[in-house]
Amino acid sequence: MTGGSPADAVTLDLFDPGVVENPYPFFEQLLLHAPVYQVPETRVFLVASWALIHQVLKNQRDYSANLTGLLLMGENGCPTVFDMTSFGGKVDALANADEPVHALHRKLVLPYLNSRSVTALEDDVRTWVGERLAPFIRAGGGDAVRDLADPIPVMVTARLLGLPLQDSDTLLQWAFAGGDILAGTINLQRMMELSASTGAMAEYLGEAFDRRASEGHSGPPRQVMDALVSGVASGQISREDAVSILIVLVGAAGESTSSLLGSAIRLLAETPALQQRLREDDALIGGFLEEVVRLEASFKGHYRVVLRETQLGGSALSPGDRVFLLWAAANRDPAVFEQPNELCIGRADAGEHLGFGHGIHFCVGARLARMEARIVLQELLRASRSFKLSEPDGVRHISSIFVRRLTSLALSVAAR
């Protein structure tokens, strides 16, 4: 426990492999003893409580969303901060942008993620799910992450952005590489490899953007790419901004929805009675998914950098310090949620979770993620009499302090 932390009797290790795999007992200790906890050897503070996270989110004067650095386990085994500016500057697009830049980025993207636009994608999503689910059911199961949770979100993202569907596999690998950069558990050599991968994605997306711009599309934008081309042509954003927005959308959409789908299928596979309840009444799927987002947030947290001298939960913060807002801890805060560790469909406090963020940085793709997950679960439940884990002891998540995503999910399925 570092000096100045509120709970000197508690020893906490964010990088412990057991904590990385199952962070919830660790988060419970933070909530009980150290809702603002300084990571030893760093000026990074973990923020666990729902109320304190809201305090940060409401205060854009003292906290910036720009991603300038992140936690990393150093070569000496001690936590350190990796300077993201070594990648060529701060990350400043959508989720990592401050006002007024954030509002402009969001305005360009939101029309393609509203209710009407998302509904228009449903038939395609159902077709894609059916194409992948049929052989999965015939085979009596398989890896639900590889066969369902991973491919569907990135195909939806490709269609949304205006990218070729045949490039989906490559986009998926790039999306996961972006999340791996933030994992905190990789070494510097791997960080450089992932940086090169991100560079390749930026080059690909830049070329796709330039092709679309050269086509000279007239009339209303049809896809996100068109809107960004129009934004650059009108001088609202730069080409660099446009490519950065595309990078964020590819990474966040693939990573977060894959995580949601994997977690949802796992929870149903582990709970036969709940699985059957949803099979009999699929109107409950929406409420179930909200609980999955709350209990198994796709992103455990996001960073903010401190801009001015300030106080948070009794801890003094200085310019350049970083806070890591732990959505996954706040989603189980007993001060807000009754029976916080229990899955309760239709709970009165369901709308308070932070699984999609909050406020101006509420996830622009939340509606899309909910739609994709709902359709996958509907089709899986309709096509099966039951499904269960074929390797109950083999459930593992990727090694990351940032992302909560399954590496695989082996299912045995009984067809209807």
Side-chain angles (χ1 to χ4, degrees):
M1 174 61 68
T2 187
S5 185
D8 293 334
V10 181
T11 300
L12 304 168
D13 183 3
L14 181 65
F15 290 94
D16 182 279
V19 170
V20 171
E21 174 60 32
N22 178 20
Y24 302 115
F26 169 77
F27 292 159
E28 185 175 5
Q29 290 301 306
L30 289 180
L31 287 164
L32 285 171
H33 302 289
V36 178
Y37 173 74
Q38 184 179 351
V39 177
E41 312 299 329
T42 76
R43 293 294 298 178
V44 177
F45 296 78
L46 308 182
V47 186
S49 87
W50 187 95
L52 290 174
I53 287 177
H54 274 263
Q55 185 175 324
V56 173
L57 294 176
K58 292 175 182 176
N59 185 356
Q60 298 173 60
R61 184 185 68 170
D62 293 337
Y63 301 95
S64 169
N66 294 162
L67 185 58
T68 61
L70 52 91
L71 277 171
L72 185 70
M73 178 58 73
E75 298 295 333
N76 62 356
C78 295
T80 187
V81 175
F82 183 81
D83 183 4
M84 291 293 288
T85 60
S86 62
F87 284 159
K90 64 186 180 182
V91 179
D92 186 14
L94 280 178
N96 302 119
D98 294 328
E99 301 299 357
V101 172
H102 171 266
L104 177 56
H105 291 182
R106 194 176 181 93
K107 182 179 179 181
L108 289 169
V109 169
L110 268 180
Y112 307 90
L113 293 163
N114 61 23
S115 180
R116 181 178 179 179
S117 298
V118 168
T119 299
L121 285 169
E122 286 200 18
D123 288 345
D124 283 340
V125 174
R126 206 171 291 278
T127 297
W128 297 332
V129 172
E131 291 171 350
R132 277 146 189 80
L133 188 58
F136 185 83
I137 297 293
R138 285 197 301 269
D143 183 349
V145 167
R146 179 197 62 206
D147 298 335
L148 297 172
D150 283 355
I152 299 301
V154 76
M155 292 179 72
V156 175
T157 302
R159 175 60 55 82
L160 180 76
L161 299 185
L163 299 170
L165 288 180
Q166 61 265 32
D167 292 346
S168 294
D169 288 345
T170 302
L171 289 170
L172 179 66
Q173 297 309 309
W174 282 333
F176 288 168
D180 288 346
I181 285 176
L182 302 172
T185 55
I186 58 176
N187 58 32
L188 192 57
Q189 179 181 348
R190 179 60 178 154
M191 181 74 80
M192 294 300 103
E193 293 170 355
L194 293 169
S195 175
S197 178
T198 300
M201 175 169 61
E203 182 177 358
Y204 166 90
L205 292 172
E207 291 173 354
F209 177 88
D210 292 340
R211 282 196 302 272
R212 185 63 62 90
S214 68
E215 292 171 0
H217 170 71
S218 60
R222 297 166 299 180
Q223 294 163 313
V224 170
M225 191 78 75
D226 297 318
L228 296 178
V229 167
S230 178
V232 172
S234 65
Q236 293 177 279
I237 58 172
S238 67
R239 178 186 179 277
E240 181 183 22
D241 289 337
V243 174
S244 293
I245 291 170
L246 291 171
I247 291 171
V248 169
L249 289 174
V250 169
E255 191 82 75
S256 61
T257 311
S258 172
S259 167
L260 171 58
L261 280 167
S263 294
I265 296 171
R266 174 184 65 82
L267 286 169
L268 290 180
E270 293 173 336
T271 320
L274 177 61
Q275 180 187 138
Q276 189 57 28
R277 184 182 172 197
L278 267 60
R279 188 174 280 110
E280 294 170 355
D281 184 3
D282 70 1
L284 298 174
I285 289 176
F288 166 71
L289 287 171
E290 289 308 300
E291 278 291 84
V292 178
V293 174
R294 183 182 69 82
L295 289 168
E296 295 282 6
S298 300
F299 299 113
K300 298 176 187 178
H302 278 88
Y303 291 94
R304 296 290 188 272
V305 61
V306 179
L307 300 176
R308 299 151 47 104
E309 297 284 347
T310 189
Q311 293 272 337
L312 184 66
S315 294
L317 304 179
S318 300
D321 290 349
R322 294 175 177 87
V323 293
F324 190 28
L325 306 180
L326 293 170
W327 317 125
N331 283 348
R332 296 179 182 230
D333 190 338
V336 177
F337 301 98
E338 293 186 15
Q339 298 180 299
N341 298 317
E342 300 299 319
L343 193 157
C344 304
I345 296 176
R347 59 166 57 241
D349 46 31
E352 301 298 332
H353 76 72
L354 298 174
F356 287 122
H358 180 77
I360 65 168
H361 283 290
F362 185 81
C363 176
V364 294
R367 182 180 284 108
L368 187 67
R370 287 170 170 138
M371 179 272 284
E372 294 173 54
R374 171 176 54 81
I375 289 178
V376 170
L377 294 188
Q378 283 176 335
E379 296 303 312
L380 175 59
L381 291 166
R382 289 170 183 171
S384 64
R385 287 188 290 110
S386 65
F387 53 86
K388 62 182 180 180
L389 300 180
S390 55
E391 299 175 14
D393 297 329
V395 175
R396 293 289 182 273
H397 295 83
I398 66 167
S399 178
S400 175
I401 66 171
F402 181 74
V403 171
R404 179 73 169 169
R405 177 170 54 81
L406 289 164
T407 58
S408 61
L409 187 67
L411 289 189
S412 296
V413 179
R416 281 194 180 277

